[in-house]
Amino acid sequence: MKHDKPLQEQQTAAPDQTVLTRPYAEISAKLHLLLHTGQLLMESGADSDRTVRDMMRVAAYMGIPEDRVHQHIMYTTLMLNINDETHSYTEFRKCKKHGINMTALSAVSKLTWRALAKNYTLEEFEQQLMAIKNRPRNYPFWLTALGAGAACGGFCKLFGGSWLDFFLTALCAFLGFYVKRLCTSYGFNIYAVIAITSFATTMLAWSTQFLTGTMNWYPLIACTLFLVPGIPLINAVDDLLNNFIVSGMTRAMNTLLVVGSMTFGIVIAIRLGNVADFTSVSLQPDTIYFSQAIAAAISSMGFSIIFNIPRRLLPVVAVGGIITVLLRNICVMQFGLSQAAGSFLGAAVVGLIALKAIHWFHTPNIILTIPSAIPMIPGVLLYRLLFAILNIQTITPSMLLDGLRSGILAIIIIIGIAIGVAIPNIFIHRYIEHNKQRTVEDLLARRYTSE
């Protein structure tokens, strides 16, 4: 797209629709909206590649040539530069609060396409963007807490626990989620919140022995897994694979701090309860099929509620969770493949199915693939590594080696899951982007021919 007028054009008052066909008209407002879009995406759990793609689509809607937009994406900071032959505008934006809000990710993606198709004015675009930002969550807090409980209960069953263990785990995680909210409301440091929550939740799981008369190992293992940063883990690998090195390393370090905080809280709890290292408990599932399918569906939907995905997609994600877990179990237990290979194949199949499903359900593929793959995140293997490091002075060399082996296996599994769900972008990225770019060009062509 060619442009003949320099940045001074922003000083000229222009009609609303004309602004979209003059790249540098109201450039300050355009910079603001572009960065606001990127900030909302990053703070809602988008990976860096998606943030760049959606921001470039917004720039195209605003009439700014692609070769004039330069972005630098980091986990906590966004930098945007727009220039012509004689002028350059640069602006920064801090991303202050990171969470997971998949409804927001889906809504921003749809907004960028609507803005192109309907030629929104900048004011209309900003209004709709703010509406997305201020939209209340799809689920009340008590239901989100139930989702956290169900997610951990599903993990407990996937590890081989009984249905009694499932309900005990769900109850402890439900109450732990309220502890997390209480700590957050007092403005505690995020890592302190994680440590306190994991401590309280583990103590609750430990106390269930007074109800059943025996130590309930599986609730101890699974009750805090709603705190595991599954999406940041996957996003970290995705960023590194897509050459967003700084952002990927920052996400990875943040994930390590979260898991370390969880482990700190758990270790304090088991020390007070005089509990042996429970991460050595066998995680072999009791069956391959029926109960595992139910547990996978429950876990996927539970995490989806935490991630705030649209309600209409909960059954879809449940089916995706069943596919990933059953494929992994069949590959590992029937065909003797490694857990990493089984996890990769499960995630890959869902990633490929999502190529079609996104057109059926009109939603970005990450909304379908990541919640479906989350039940395969090897949180306990990461625990084993950190427990080995924390107890390095008292454990034997063989136990330390087992811990290191568990940590390496966990990293390999996470990489396998991330590559699996990203297969469409890895292998047919150019084809997908070509089709999207052609759609963008067609929409822009209609804009200019209608004038």
Side-chain angles (χ1 to χ4, degrees):
M1 193 186 307
K2 295 182 178 180
H3 59 282
D4 300 316
K5 299 183 179 181
L7 289 171
Q8 293 98 321
E9 188 174 86
Q10 65 173 314
Q11 305 296 331
T12 305
D16 286 339
Q17 294 299 334
T18 306
V19 166
L20 301 181
T21 58
R22 298 163 65 188
Y24 304 107
E26 296 192 25
I27 189 65
S28 295
K30 291 179 178 180
L31 275 167
H32 171 78
L33 286 177
L34 278 165
L35 284 171
H36 201 159
T37 301
Q39 180 187 12
L40 181 56
L41 288 165
M42 289 295 285
E43 292 183 347
S44 297
D47 60 85
S48 299
D49 190 48
R50 172 166 294 276
T51 301
V52 168
R53 291 200 310 268
D54 283 9
M55 288 179 68
M56 291 303 297
R57 199 178 304 136
V58 175
Y61 141 72
M62 292 175 174
I64 304 174
E66 181 179 356
D67 61 340
R68 298 300 182 181
V69 181
H70 312 281
Q71 301 180 64
H72 183 59
I73 306 295
M74 293 186 291
Y75 185 60
T76 57
T77 308
L78 303 177
M79 184 177 75
L80 181 65
N81 172 268
I82 297 175
N83 68 284
D84 67 0
E85 290 83 357
T86 56
H87 296 81
S88 178
Y89 270 58
T90 302
E91 189 172 330
F92 295 83
R93 180 68 58 87
K94 295 293 291 184
C95 300
K96 300 177 181 179
K97 185 178 179 181
H98 292 273
I100 307 297
N101 186 344
M102 290 198 163
T103 293
L105 298 183
S106 178
V108 169
S109 178
K110 291 178 180 178
L111 173 60
T112 61
W113 288 111
R114 285 201 313 273
L116 274 165
K118 297 183 179 182
N119 294 334
Y120 286 161
T121 64
L122 297 182
E123 291 76 12
E124 289 172 332
F125 183 87
E126 183 175 22
Q127 288 173 1
Q128 297 212 23
L129 190 65
M130 292 303 297
I132 295 171
K133 180 179 179 180
N134 298 323
R135 181 183 300 171
R137 292 182 65 88
N138 297 324
Y139 312 96
F141 182 82
W142 65 267
L143 185 55
T144 306
L146 280 178
C152 293
F155 262 116
C156 177
K157 190 62 182 169
L158 289 171
F159 294 156
S162 66
W163 285 110
L164 175 61
D165 292 330
F166 170 92
F167 287 110
L168 291 174
T169 303
L171 175 62
C172 294
F174 174 80
L175 297 175
F177 204 80
Y178 270 91
V179 172
K180 181 174 182 288
R181 183 189 191 187
L182 179 64
C183 293
T184 302
S185 68
Y186 282 108
F188 291 178
N189 175 274
I190 180 60
Y191 303 115
V193 171
I194 298 297
I196 294 170
T197 302
S198 60
F199 168 79
T201 309
T202 304
M203 289 301 295
L204 286 168
W206 173 82
S207 66
T208 60
Q209 64 181 304
F210 300 112
L211 296 176
T212 61
T214 183
M215 182 63 70
N216 299 295
W217 296 109
Y218 289 103
L220 276 172
I221 292 173
C223 66
T224 58
L225 291 180
F226 68 90
L227 296 170
V228 171
I231 288 183
L233 271 172
I234 293 174
N235 282 346
V237 175
D238 190 87
D239 280 359
L240 293 171
L241 291 174
N242 284 296
N243 210 31
F244 294 97
I245 304 299
V246 175
S247 180
M249 292 300 295
T250 306
R251 290 184 198 266
M253 182 57 66
N254 177 68
T255 297
L256 182 61
L257 289 171
V258 170
V259 176
S261 300
M262 291 175 59
T263 306
F264 178 79
I266 294 169
V267 168
I268 298 299
I270 65 173
R271 290 287 190 267
L272 288 177
N274 197 28
V275 179
D277 181 359
F278 57 86
T279 60
S280 59
V281 174
S282 173
L283 301 180
Q284 187 78 6
D286 53 353
T287 63
I288 301 178
Y289 302 111
F290 184 68
S291 66
Q292 288 280 291
I294 295 175
I298 292 173
S299 188
S300 293
M301 287 193 292
F303 277 109
S304 296
I305 292 173
I306 298 174
F307 300 155
N308 195 42
I309 77 164
R311 291 174 181 262
R312 64 186 178 86
L313 296 178
L314 286 177
V316 180
V317 170
V319 173
I322 292 171
I323 293 172
T324 57
V325 169
L326 289 187
L327 277 176
R328 181 200 63 183
N329 289 352
I330 291 171
C331 290
V332 173
M333 301 176 69
Q334 295 289 339
F335 296 104
L337 298 181
S338 67
Q339 189 174 347
S343 299
F344 164 76
L345 289 173
V349 169
V350 168
L352 293 173
I353 293 174
L355 282 177
K356 285 291 184 181
I358 58 176
H359 301 295
W360 303 335
F361 302 106
H362 305 290
T363 190
N365 65 331
I366 61 167
I367 311 298
L368 303 178
T369 55
I370 292 184
S372 299
I374 283 293
M376 298 190 296
I377 291 291
V380 176
L381 295 180
L382 292 173
Y383 285 173
R384 288 177 175 173
L385 171 62
L386 289 171
F387 268 87
I389 295 173
L390 290 170
N391 297 314
I392 193 169
Q393 293 182 334
T394 59
I395 62 176
T396 64
S398 62
M399 293 173 65
L400 177 60
L401 184 60
D402 287 341
L404 293 174
R405 185 183 295 115
S406 295
I408 294 171
L409 177 59
I411 293 171
I412 294 173
I413 291 172
I414 293 166
I415 292 173
I417 293 172
I419 293 175
V421 298
I423 271 186
N425 287 332
I426 293 174
F427 293 103
I428 53 177
H429 177 78
R430 183 175 298 179
Y431 173 76
I432 294 173
E433 287 305 307
H434 175 73
N435 285 344
K436 288 184 177 180
Q437 185 60 32
R438 187 169 57 188
T439 302
V440 169
E441 291 172 356
D442 289 344
L443 291 170
L444 291 175
R446 294 178 194 173
R447 174 191 296 175
Y448 293 111
T449 56
S450 63
E451 293 180 351

